Structures are given as C-alpha cells and as structure tokens.
Amino acid sequence: MNKKERSLVLIKPDGVQRGLIGEVIKRYERTGLKLVGLKMFVPTADFVKKHYLLDPGWKQSNGEKTINAYKAKGQEPPISDPIKAAEKTLGRLKSYISSGPVVAMVWQGMNAVEVIRKITGGTEPRTSDIGTIRGDFTIDSYEIADLDDRSVRNIIHASGSPKEAEMEVKHWFEDEELMNYRLVGEEILYDVNLDGILE
Ligand code: ATP
Ligand code: MG
C-alpha cells in the first residue's frame, strides 16, 4: 500500500472566479490527505495542451465518455468519432484553462487519486453526484457547452490514475516545489493499534 501516492489537482479559472478556493481545499484537507505542493499561475494554451496529451490514451477515453454521455440521455452525439470529438474538446480546453489564474496542488496519501476523484465527482456537473464538488457547486452540461462552443466548466481537474498523476505532477511542479514533511494527523490515520494516545 503506497502511503505516498500523489494526485495533481487544479482549481480551474471558473473555480477561482467563483470564490471556491477555500471550500475546495477544505474538502480535500479534511480527509487527512497531505498537501505537498501549492501555487497559483496563468498557464499558456500550449502548456494546457501538453498537460492533456501526457496520457496517450486521453483522446480515446475522453471522446468515448462524451459520446456515451449523449447516448445515455437518448441524444445523438454531435461528433461520432471519439478521436475527433476529443480534439474538439481539447481546442476548447486550451482557452478555458488558460483564461485566468488556476490554483495547482499536489495531494499525497493512501489512495490519493481515488479519494480525490470521489470528492471531485463525475466530469459533467449536470449528472455528477450531490455531495461532490462538481455536483454541489455548479450546473454545467455537455449540451450547453456544445451549444456555446466551449468547454464544460467543472471547477476542478484531478488526476485519473497514479500513473497520470506522476506525469502531471512533473509537468506542473519542479521537485524543489514539493514539500517533504511529517503531518501529525498521519500518525493517527496510519497507526496500527492507537496505543500511543493515553498517558
Ligand atoms: P479532468 O481531467 O479535468 O479532471 P475528467 O478527467 O473528469 O476531468 P476528461 O475526459 O479528462 O475529464 O476531460 C477533461 C476536461 O475537458 C473536463 O474536465 C471538462 O472540463 C472538459 N470536457 C470533457 N469533455 C467535454 C465535452 N464533451 N465538451 C466540453 N468539455 C469537455
Ligand atoms: Mg481527465
């Protein structure tokens, strides 16, 4: 069990503009995961493109997800080829994520990727679960995003797998920007017998 698994999280420009930085950090922080990197900047369109293309399978999986989301609602997807659909999405993503400051973070701990994705919720806010960040704080849908020729605005990016996280952390952070430190709470989270509490 890797207690040092990492996940890259971005609060996208809409999340920053909606005043949700504190709310988002609170939700991840209270799980016990450890914040090991944090910064704010405006990424370029090229930097965003490189980020999404770190995973060679991204176009296929993103395109299929979009097509399946339309089909699940009984609607015809506007583009039926997954790769072409993802390329359209990527063009829109470049202007979305480079439109203003984003907050980039690295969270670390046991099952960090899975736990962060659970708290973040599904990609399309219209169908993401209540209680998740995307379900609670916004209402966007693929349909309106397509009509307006823009990206789905869903507040957060969160790594999809530990492998993806490793590449993304390298893309967004220098080694010296990541903190190695002990967090007192981890002594309870990962303790075996809880026999060191009572005096
Ligand atoms: P992220 O990688 O941002 O955490 P995700 O893994 O849930 O999100 P991806 O398939 O990687 O989803 O898509 C990346 C982002 O592209 C989404 O978060 C969303 O902002 C945008 N997006 C994805 N599909 C579409 C679409 N069909 N139309 C518009 N925007 C989309
Ligand atoms: Mg993704």
Side-chain angles (χ1 to χ4, degrees):
M1 179 60 64
N2 181 8
K3 294 173 186 163
K4 294 192 167 179
E5 184 175 302
R6 286 173 168 172
S7 176
L8 178 92
V9 175
L10 307 174
I11 306 178
K12 295 173 175 175
D14 52 326
V16 172
Q17 293 303 316
R18 296 275 312 279
L20 293 172
I21 299 172
E23 177 67 39
V24 164
I25 291 180
K26 181 183 87 180
R27 288 181 173 221
Y28 298 132
E29 189 179 32
R30 67 189 181 183
T31 62
L33 288 173
K34 176 160 72 181
L35 184 62
V36 299
L38 176 70
K39 63 180 173 185
M40 186 181 210
F41 70 103
V42 183
T44 63
D46 188 52
F47 189 85
V48 173
K49 180 179 173 192
K50 286 196 176 114
H51 160 82
Y52 279 106
L53 296 182
L54 287 170
D55 168 15
W58 180 82
K59 281 190 189 174
Q60 185 68 29
S61 64
N62 170 272
E64 283 174 5
K65 191 162 54 173
T66 299
I67 289 164
N68 290 336
Y70 270 98
K71 287 187 177 158
K73 295 182 190 105
Q75 294 168 334
E76 199 51 40
I79 303 176
S80 57
D81 175 40
I83 300 288
K84 287 206 178 99
E87 279 165 359
K88 179 108 187 142
T89 295
L90 184 58
R92 295 163 168 176
L93 268 170
K94 286 195 290 185
S95 49
Y96 169 34
I97 311 288
S98 65
S99 64
V102 305
V103 173
M105 301 179 273
V106 180
W107 289 92
Q108 181 175 301
M110 190 167 58
N111 299 315
V113 167
E114 191 182 307
V115 170
I116 294 265
R117 293 283 284 195
K118 183 177 67 172
I119 294 166
T120 303
T123 305
E124 186 190 27
R126 175 182 176 182
T127 55
S128 48
D129 291 334
I130 289 295
T132 66
I133 293 168
R134 288 165 171 172
D136 283 355
F137 295 110
T138 193
I139 54 177
D140 212 6
S141 69
Y142 289 128
E143 203 178 351
I144 185 76
D146 274 332
L147 271 172
D148 293 346
D149 192 16
R150 61 167 177 78
S151 211
V152 162
R153 296 184 189 136
N154 56 7
I155 302 171
I156 302 290
H157 161 81
S159 302
S161 69
K163 203 172 131 251
E164 198 177 290
E166 248 177 72
M167 296 188 285
E168 291 179 350
V169 169
K170 275 206 189 82
H171 184 61
W172 288 82
F173 286 85
E174 303 293 336
D175 277 348
E176 56 273 21
E177 291 176 313
L178 299 171
M179 306 292 121
N180 275 313
Y181 68 101
R182 225 162 50 88
L183 192 64
V184 177
E186 286 181 316
E187 287 172 24
I188 297 299
L189 270 183
Y190 303 130
D191 188 77
V192 180
N193 299 316
L194 288 184
D195 53 3
I197 299 176
L198 295 175
E199 292 188 323

